[in-house]
Amino acid sequence: MNRRIVTLLAALAPIVVLGILGTVIKVPFVALGPGPTFNTLGEVGGEQVVAIEGTDVDDTTGHLNMTTVAVRDDLNVFEAFGLWASGRQGIVPREEVYPPDKSKDEVKQENDADFQQSEDSAELAALHFLGKPVDLRIAKVGEDGPSQGLLREGDVLVSVDGKPVSTVGGVQEAVADVPPNTEVPIVIRRDGAETTVRVVLGARPDDEAKGYLGITPEEVPDVPFTIDFNLADVGGPSAGLMFTLAVIDKLTPGELNGGKFVAGTGTIDSDGDVGPIGGIKYKLIAASEAGAETFLVPAKNCDEARQGAPDGLRLVKVENLDGAVDALEAVNAGADAPHC
């Protein structure tokens, strides 16, 4: 073989080896990027994303899109570098998404459970907003708790310590500042009749200065219609706000979005409080690329959202459900809305 060729091959050998290794060696990172968006007013796979049966549903147009973050795992060196260099993806340690003490299946199960919870909370938040009946029932009475023998599973809570309650959070707030060993009147509905039960609060196991009832309440819709959410292979709790708005839009006249393209994100609880989420930068990109004009941002995500907002996308700050509805009405009327 020609000596010059041999010399050239010898010089290129390390580069070739590095190239091969770069395609084989996996890095302990995952890539986060824009995921698919779904119009909660529309259909997926021939089914309504938010399906309401048993009552009249208002016609809706435009978009109320929930947004997601895509996760890419099992990256080699070249893939990780290429995704990072694209500017649309972020590279984070794998353990932030897949903790070392959990399998991928376990992480998926947790995400699925969070998604189911977001659906339940969205339904309840919407029903409370619309003034629809929701029973606040006792799902469990602690065996050794202060309510044992006094309250029963299935009792419907009406008021606690003189404060009307309709949500789980309302029960917690009613006793939050009441010290242990205080007798508290609990008005319940049992077997169709209201009665008052007096419970002496115990000391919370995690904070002995605070009292607790030792019950697990749950909210149960008491409406003659059903609400189903039909999205598969989506996990996490961040669809709550947009699901809630879709239910409200379908059960009230007019259009929350003004017939335009609104996207957003945020957890929600049955009280209507909107909480922060992860990956806001990538959700903003996904929404903008899908055609959104307005994006509903949880208030605690505003600082991060401002830094990564695509040009032309209006960021509307949202702290709770009432604020989200008011903000959309303001946007539709051409008035000022809270912004990040």
Side-chain angles (χ1 to χ4, degrees):
M1 183 180 295
N2 186 291
R3 183 177 297 175
R4 185 175 297 175
I5 295 176
V6 172
T7 302
L8 179 60
L9 291 175
L12 291 175
I15 298 175
V16 173
V17 171
L18 287 174
I20 293 173
L21 291 175
T23 62
V24 174
I25 296 177
K26 302 296 183 180
V27 295
F29 297 93
V30 297
L32 304 180
T37 74
F38 301 94
N39 184 10
T40 58
L41 300 177
E43 295 185 354
V44 169
E47 291 186 302
Q48 289 287 320
V49 173
V50 178
I52 302 176
E53 300 290 342
T55 190
D56 292 335
V57 176
D58 194 55
D59 291 333
T60 59
T61 61
H63 291 249
L64 285 173
N65 276 41
M66 58 159 287
T67 49
T68 66
V69 175
V71 179
R72 292 188 58 176
D73 193 15
D74 294 323
L75 303 175
N76 62 43
V77 174
F78 289 160
E79 289 172 331
F81 180 79
L83 291 170
W84 171 80
S86 72
R88 298 179 73 258
Q89 310 277 336
I91 304 298
V92 300
R94 189 178 188 278
E95 62 187 21
E96 291 187 12
V97 178
Y98 301 108
D101 59 338
K102 296 178 182 178
S103 67
K104 268 192 172 182
D105 284 342
E106 289 173 327
V107 171
K108 183 180 184 304
Q109 288 171 5
E110 290 181 358
N111 286 337
D112 289 345
D114 286 342
F115 193 70
Q116 176 65 57
Q117 182 61 55
S118 76
E119 295 176 338
D120 295 342
S121 296
E123 177 178 5
L124 292 167
L127 293 178
H128 285 306
F129 179 88
L130 296 170
K132 302 295 185 182
V134 175
D135 282 343
L136 182 60
R137 299 179 189 171
I138 297 177
K140 183 178 180 181
V141 179
E143 291 184 5
D144 300 319
S147 297
Q148 179 62 38
L150 299 170
L151 297 175
R152 303 176 189 170
E153 294 181 8
D155 286 346
V156 177
L157 294 165
V158 178
S159 70
V160 176
D161 198 23
K163 303 178 183 68
V165 291
S166 59
T167 66
V168 172
V171 176
Q172 296 168 343
E173 290 176 5
V175 299
D177 298 321
V178 182
N181 302 315
T182 302
E183 185 178 83
V184 172
I186 313 293
V187 178
I188 60 171
R189 190 165 65 250
R190 180 185 293 169
D191 299 327
E194 284 193 7
T195 186
T196 299
V197 177
R198 297 186 177 274
V199 177
V200 177
L201 298 184
R204 279 177 47 174
D206 60 339
D207 188 344
E208 294 185 355
K210 294 184 177 181
Y212 88 117
L213 285 168
I215 61 173
T216 302
E218 66 175 354
E219 297 169 54
V220 182
D222 185 21
V223 291
F225 55 86
T226 60
I227 301 173
D228 293 308
F229 302 91
N230 298 306
L231 270 186
D233 300 322
V234 178
S238 63
L241 172 61
M242 303 312 291
F243 277 154
T244 304
L245 293 173
V247 173
I248 293 171
D249 204 5
K250 290 191 171 195
L251 292 178
T252 55
E255 295 177 311
L256 290 181
N257 57 11
K260 298 179 181 179
F261 198 137
V262 175
T265 187
T267 67
I268 202 164
D269 61 22
S270 61
D271 289 299
D273 292 325
V274 175
I277 49 78
I280 186 72
K281 171 183 177 181
Y282 312 112
K283 293 182 176 184
L284 292 170
I285 294 172
S288 178
E289 292 179 349
E293 305 160 275
T294 300
F295 194 99
L296 304 180
V297 182
K300 292 184 178 179
N301 286 122
C302 266
D303 288 343
E304 184 183 359
R306 280 195 302 270
Q307 298 172 17
D311 292 339
L313 185 63
R314 177 194 290 122
L315 303 184
V316 174
K317 181 171 69 173
V318 175
E319 295 186 3
N320 52 51
L321 180 56
D322 287 346
V325 173
D326 290 345
L328 288 175
E329 290 177 351
V331 169
N332 295 337
D336 290 336
H339 58 86
C340 291

